[in-house]
Amino acid sequence: MLSSIGADQILRVPLLPILAFQGLVVRRNAQFLPEPTGPREGREGRGPRLRLLIAGDSSAAGVGAGTQRQALSGQLVSRLAMHHTVEWRLEATTGHTTQDTINRLQELHEPFDVVVTALGVNDVTRAVHKQRFETQQRQLLTLLTGQMRAQKVIVTAVPQMARFPALPQPLAWVLGQQAARLDRGLQNAVAGFPQATHLALDLPDDPALAAMDGYHPSPKTYAIWAEELTRIINQA
């Protein structure tokens, strides 16, 4: 039983006073960036019709960019619109967990060809257990490939939180270990759906990839992310 428990989980109790203090400091010093301005749905480009949904948390919403054109939605749509007529929609909110996203998307009854999801950070900070996260991700994938009839779902990996500049040690290590644990659960969930692909971004150590809050992506990261998504979608 103990072999299945990570070192971070064992040390979390003795480290709790430090982790709690660091969490308070991070929240106090955090620059609460707004979600970018701009449209959250539209139609763009020429060519075969492509119905696109982007769903998830603050990164899906584009926090860290000034406008949606600089964020994931804008950068992805502009690339896809070179060869497709893209009918797109953004359903993402800062702070949303996997369960929040399931609740939100259950209210949609329109089909999409391609869905991009970005979730996990808020599940990490709310200490969602790996098994529960994996189960919820399976529920989300079932919703996307069933009710929404998505032919392709690209599931973005849980970010490597240990690399977030805003997080001090040992908080960064503890959250990073939990993020890696949830991402393994995410990969398990994706493996059960032939329509789904797990996308892990291989980002270099570049300060310009983080927004000014040291927690969210910058427009440069959104560009890399959009490029990888475009490659996968075009292959599909």
Side-chain angles (χ1 to χ4, degrees), residues 24-192:
L24 287 172
V25 171
V26 168
R27 281 193 290 271
R28 186 168 61 234
N29 295 338
Q31 302 179 44
F32 293 101
L33 301 180
E35 294 182 3
T37 60
R40 290 186 170 233
E41 60 182 321
R43 187 173 185 273
E44 186 174 332
R46 297 180 63 183
R49 183 189 189 198
L50 178 65
R51 296 167 297 183
L52 171 69
L53 172 67
I54 301 171
D57 55 23
S58 57
S59 61
V63 173
T67 66
Q68 287 295 342
R69 180 58 66 175
Q70 299 172 309
L72 179 64
S73 64
Q75 302 223 37
L76 178 57
V77 169
S78 66
R79 286 166 171 78
L80 293 175
M82 295 178 184
H83 304 288
H84 300 85
T85 299
V86 185
E87 298 175 4
W88 64 277
R89 182 166 182 159
L90 175 63
E91 294 286 346
T93 299
T94 298
H96 267 198
T97 62
T98 300
Q99 187 60 58
D100 293 327
T101 301
I102 291 171
N103 296 342
R104 179 171 184 166
L105 296 185
Q106 283 175 335
E107 299 177 3
L108 294 183
H109 298 283
E110 58 186 287
F112 292 92
D113 301 308
V114 176
V115 179
V116 175
T117 66
L119 290 160
V121 168
N122 299 306
D123 296 276
V124 170
T125 58
R126 297 186 193 183
V128 174
H129 190 273
K130 172 179 173 286
Q131 190 58 51
R132 181 182 174 198
F133 180 72
E134 185 176 326
T135 298
Q136 290 174 340
Q137 284 289 329
R138 284 197 178 96
Q139 292 172 347
L140 176 59
L141 286 165
T142 298
L143 172 64
L144 296 175
T145 59
Q147 176 178 309
M148 296 186 176
R149 306 201 295 274
Q151 300 172 35
K152 188 67 180 177
V153 181
I154 306 172
V155 181
T156 309
V158 180
Q160 299 176 353
M161 296 183 70
R163 299 177 64 185
F164 284 12
L167 299 179
Q169 296 294 355
L171 181 62
W173 174 70
V174 170
L175 294 182
Q177 291 294 307
Q178 177 69 355
R181 190 176 297 113
L182 293 196
D183 192 62
R184 290 193 291 272
L186 182 61
Q187 292 178 56
N188 291 340
V190 168

